[in-house]
Amino acid sequence: MKTIDEMKRETDLPVVIADREGFITYVNEPFQVVFGWNSDEILGKTLTTIIPRGLHDAHNLGFSRFLLTGTPTLLGQSLNLKAVSKDGKEFDAEHYIIAEHHEDQWVFGAMIRPLRGDS
Amino acid sequence: MTAESTNLINQLRATLGKMEVALGAIDEAIVWTDESGSIQWCSTSFDLLVGRTHLEILGARLFDLLPIEHEGQGLLPEQHPLVRALKGPDKAHGTYESSRGASRSILEITAAGVQLSEQFKTVVLAIHDVTERKQTEKEIQRLNEQLEQRVMERTAQLQVTNKKLEEEILEHKRNKEQLLDHQRKLRAMTSQLSMIEQREQQRIAAELHDGIAQTWALSKIELEILAKQLSSSEDSALIKQVSDRIGDEIEELRSLVYQLSPTFLNKLGFEAAMEWLAEQTELKYEIVCQLQKDQKPKSLDEDTSMVLFQSVRELLSNAVHHGQASLVKIILWGEDSRIGIRVEDDGVGFDASKVVSLPSIEGGFGLFSIRERVKALGGTVEIKSAPKRGTLVTILAPLKSKKGSHRNR
C-alpha cells in the first residue's frame, strides 16, 4: 500500500494528486508525458479532465458519496479504467487510487499505468 | 477560488453523495445510460443484479451486460425498452427474461427517456427482479390446476360410482318386479291347481254317488225284497247281513264322496256341509267341535264354497295336528254380500308374526294356500295367535267369487 508521499517520489509511472474538492494539485513528469498536459496547464483543473465524458456523472456521484460517508468502494486496489489525454484520446489504464487525511482534509492520489493496445 | 465557491462545491458534493446513497438503498436496480446504451451510472442493486463490480459496469453497454429476451425470443434492437424509451415520448415497460449462467431471472423493466439538452438524451431504467414472485405465481397456478384436475378426476369417479349405483338400483328393481311376478304366477298356479284338483275330485265323487252308490242302494232294496220272499229264516238272516253290509258300504261311500267333494255336499247347502264336517271332526279326532251360525242366507257359488270348505277343513286339521286342541269352534255369519267364518281353538298356538307367507316344504300349502285361495276369491284371511293362547282365524269372502262368472260359463 503506497502513500501519497511515496507516489510523489514515483518517477516511472504517471501520478496525479487532488484535493478534497477534486482539483488537481500535483502531477509528475511521466503524467505530463503520457497525458500531454503541462504541469502549469493541468494544476487547478478538476479530475474529470482526465476522465472520459461518459464517466463524469458516475465519478461525481461516487466521489461525493465517499466524501459524505468515508466508505471507499474502489480505493487501495488495482482498477482498469479508461483515461483521457489532452488530445481527447481515451485509453485503458490500470489505476491505483488512495485517499489520505491531511490536516482534516482528504487528499487523493492515483498512479496510472497505461495498458497496451491503447485506443 | 473564493471561500463561497468552495462552500457551494461542498454543498453540492454532499447533495450528490446523499442521492447516491439514497438511490443505492432501494431494491429496484436503477441504471442510467447514454444514447448508445453505455452505462453512465447505476445503483448498487444493479451491481448485484448483474453480478459485476461497479467499475466493470460503468462505461459498459447495457445490451451486453444484461441481455434480455421476451417470452423466450430474442429482442430486435427496436424492441429493447432502452431503444423504445429513447424514441419516446412514452415510457417503455415490459417483463423480460435474462439468463446469467444457469440461473434465469424474470425482470420487470421500466425505461424512461431523459432529454438533457436538445441534442443530448439519456435513458433511466428501473429494473425489478420478479423471479421469485413469478415463480410463486406459477407455483400457485400449478397447484390450482392440480387441484382442479383432482376435483375433475374425483367428480368423474363419483359419476362412475353414481352410474353404477343407479344401474344396481335398476337391476334391483327389475329383480324385485320379477320376484313379484313370480309370486303372482305362483299364486295363480296354486289357485288353479287347487281348482283342478277339486273338479277332478268332484267328478270322481259324482261318479261314485250317482253310479256305484245308486247301484248299491238299488241292490240293497232288491236284497231286502228278496229277504222278505224267502221262507228260510236262515237264508233271510244271511241276506239281511249282506244287505246291512251293503248299507254300511253305502255310508262309507257317502263319507268318501263328502270328503272328496265338498261342492257335491253343497247341493245340500254349505251350512249342511259345515255341520257334517263338524260331526266328522268330532268322530274322527275325538274332540269337541261346535258349529254356530246365524240365520242370514249364505248362498255361495261353487268355487267359493269349495275353497271355504277346503279352508275350514285345513284349519280344523291344523288345530288337531299342530295345535293339539281339545275344543274347536266354527262360527258362520252373513253380512250383505259377504260370508264370515271364524275358526278358533284352545290349542298351543304359535307366533303369528313368524308365520311365513310362502309355502314351507313340510307344511304343504297350509295357511299360505288358504290365504292365496281366499285372496283369489276376493276375500281376506286374518290370523291371530300366540304361543299357549290358541289360534283364531277369520275369513271374510264375497258370496260370489271374482272368478265366479268365468267359472260358470
Side-chain angles (χ1 to χ4, degrees):
Chain A
M1 177 93 175
K2 284 188 176 296
T3 62
I4 296 284
D5 280 345
E6 281 167 347
M7 279 190 179
K8 279 185 175 172
R9 289 199 292 275
E10 174 63 46
T11 54
D12 292 337
L13 293 173
V15 165
V16 57
I17 290 165
D19 63 15
R20 75 174 298 280
E21 276 84 32
F23 290 122
I24 296 168
T25 56
Y26 168 87
V27 290
N28 66 359
E29 197 55 38
F31 179 92
Q32 296 174 53
V33 173
V34 170
F35 284 82
W37 293 97
N38 284 330
S39 184
D40 298 346
E41 294 171 315
I42 193 87
L43 294 184
K45 286 190 182 297
T46 64
L47 281 172
T48 49
T49 309
I50 58 165
I51 295 172
R53 184 163 188 83
L55 297 177
H56 283 187
D57 296 320
H59 164 77
N60 280 326
L61 284 161
F63 193 87
S64 303
R65 192 199 57 237
F66 176 73
L67 290 176
L68 185 76
T69 64
T71 310
T73 53
L74 43 78
L75 297 180
Q77 53 186 303
S78 191
L79 307 165
N80 283 342
L81 289 169
K82 278 199 188 307
V84 64
S85 57
K86 186 184 178 183
D87 57 11
K89 271 193 177 169
E90 291 183 13
F91 57 95
D92 289 312
E94 185 187 336
H95 289 61
Y96 186 82
I97 308 169
I98 57 168
E100 281 179 14
H101 250 127
H102 283 206
E103 297 164 358
D104 278 348
Q105 296 285 322
W106 284 108
V107 175
F108 300 93
M111 206 156 68
I112 301 160
R113 182 203 305 273
L115 298 170
R116 287 188 182 180
D118 298 350
S119 56
Chain B
M1 187 180 303
T2 64
E4 203 50 33
S5 302
T6 306
N7 192 24
L8 176 63
I9 287 166
N10 287 340
Q11 278 182 25
L12 292 174
R13 285 272 184 227
T15 304
L16 286 176
K18 284 177 196 167
M19 282 183 65
E20 163 127 333
V21 171
L23 289 172
I26 58 172
D27 288 339
E28 228 166 25
I30 296 168
V31 59
W32 190 2
T33 77
D34 64 11
E35 275 176 290
S36 70
S38 171
I39 296 170
Q40 310 288 292
W41 177 84
C42 67
S43 67
T44 315
S45 300
F46 186 76
D47 301 352
L48 296 172
L49 179 71
V50 296
R52 301 285 184 87
T53 67
H54 204 59
L55 287 173
E56 283 175 321
I57 294 166
L58 293 174
R61 275 162 54 90
L62 181 67
F63 308 110
D64 305 329
L65 204 60
L66 187 68
I68 55 174
E69 293 180 341
H70 183 60
E71 292 174 353
Q73 301 285 317
L75 297 179
L76 293 171
E78 64 268 25
Q79 291 173 321
H80 199 284
L82 191 151
V83 179
R84 281 161 56 205
L86 266 177
K87 288 186 176 166
D90 298 327
K91 286 179 188 169
H93 180 81
T95 305
Y96 305 89
E97 306 97 52
S98 173
S99 302
R100 182 153 62 82
S103 74
R104 194 166 171 80
S105 308
I106 300 167
L107 307 173
E108 268 179 13
I109 300 179
T110 304
V114 180
Q115 192 79 45
L116 292 177
S117 67
E118 231 171 87
Q119 295 86 27
F120 196 44
K121 193 171 184 181
T122 58
V123 179
V124 175
L125 299 101
I127 303 170
H128 196 190
D129 189 340
V130 293
T131 313
E132 213 167 299
R133 198 186 77 201
K134 291 284 180 191
Q135 273 168 355
T136 307
E137 282 172 5
K138 214 172 168 185
E139 181 64 13
I140 288 172
Q141 196 188 342
R142 194 184 65 79
L143 287 173
N144 264 338
E145 280 167 6
Q146 213 174 39
L147 189 68
E148 254 170 57
Q149 178 67 22
R150 281 172 65 180
V151 167
M152 269 165 61
E153 280 170 8
R154 191 82 188 105
T155 307
Q157 264 178 5
L158 282 175
Q159 277 171 346
V160 169
T161 310
N162 210 16
K163 195 151 181 258
K164 265 189 202 163
L165 276 176
E166 276 171 11
E167 279 167 9
E168 272 174 32
I169 289 169
L170 206 70
E171 177 69 18
H172 187 74
K173 247 187 206 168
R174 268 200 295 268
N175 286 343
K176 199 177 162 186
E177 274 166 20
Q178 230 169 26
L179 186 67
L180 286 174
D181 192 44
H182 285 157
Q183 281 182 358
R184 268 195 299 274
K185 278 181 187 159
L186 186 63
R187 273 188 205 127
M189 279 166 69
T190 304
S191 182
Q192 205 176 3
L193 192 66
S194 167
M195 291 300 177
I196 289 167
E197 188 186 44
Q198 294 302 317
R199 266 177 241 146
E200 187 56 21
Q201 286 180 358
Q202 190 181 351
R203 191 186 62 75
I204 294 167
E207 209 132 288
L208 289 173
H209 185 269
D210 299 339
I212 299 171
Q214 292 300 321
T215 310
W216 281 358
L218 196 64
S219 302
K220 189 172 181 278
I221 293 165
E222 281 170 353
L223 280 173
E224 279 164 9
I225 294 167
L226 181 65
K228 282 175 188 164
Q229 288 169 355
L230 285 174
S231 52
S232 161
S233 60
E234 209 172 290
D235 288 346
S236 59
L238 189 67
I239 287 174
K240 176 91 171 45
Q241 211 177 336
V242 175
S243 163
D244 286 349
R245 202 176 300 144
I246 290 174
D248 288 347
E249 285 303 309
I250 290 169
E251 277 306 306
E252 194 75 13
L253 194 65
R254 281 207 181 115
S255 171
L256 186 64
V257 164
Y258 296 158
Q259 276 184 43
L260 275 173
S261 176
T263 50
F264 184 78
L265 246 170
N266 209 26
K267 284 175 182 169
L268 302 172
F270 178 73
E271 289 169 80
M274 285 290 109
E275 273 168 25
W276 174 83
L277 188 59
E279 272 168 33
Q280 289 294 308
T281 303
E282 286 196 329
L283 284 173
K284 199 170 172 186
Y285 301 117
E286 295 177 339
I287 61 163
V288 180
C289 186
Q290 301 172 348
L291 177 69
Q292 297 171 14
K293 51 185 180 172
D294 62 9
Q295 299 304 311
K296 291 190 179 152
K298 301 171 194 68
S299 55
L300 307 173
D301 68 21
E302 201 178 316
D303 277 351
T304 306
S305 60
M306 189 198 293
V307 168
L308 295 181
F309 183 88
Q310 288 286 327
S311 298
V312 173
R313 193 166 63 179
E314 179 79 29
L315 290 171
L316 292 175
S317 169
N318 280 352
V320 173
H321 292 118
H322 303 303
Q324 292 146 30
S326 57
L327 172 67
V328 187
K329 281 186 197 167
I330 304 168
I331 302 155
L332 303 180
W333 71 95
E335 39 178 80
D336 299 335
S337 58
R338 291 201 300 180
I339 179 170
I341 305 171
R342 181 172 301 152
V343 177
E344 58 179 286
D345 66 55
D346 61 350
V348 296
F350 56 91
D351 188 350
S353 67
K354 286 181 183 164
V355 172
V356 284
S357 56
L358 284 173
S360 62
I361 294 163
E362 72 277 12
F365 285 91
L367 287 174
F368 168 78
S369 174
I370 293 172
R371 202 197 290 271
E372 292 309 319
R373 280 147 71 186
V374 171
K375 207 186 267 183
L377 296 175
T380 59
V381 177
E382 186 191 35
I383 299 162
K384 281 183 182 168
S385 186
K388 296 179 185 172
R389 302 283 293 275
T391 302
L392 195 155
V393 179
T394 308
I395 298 172
L396 282 173
L399 296 177
K400 308 292 173 199
S401 82
K402 287 198 294 188
K403 299 201 287 186
S405 56
H406 169 74
R407 274 284 296 121
N408 293 337
R409 269 189 308 190

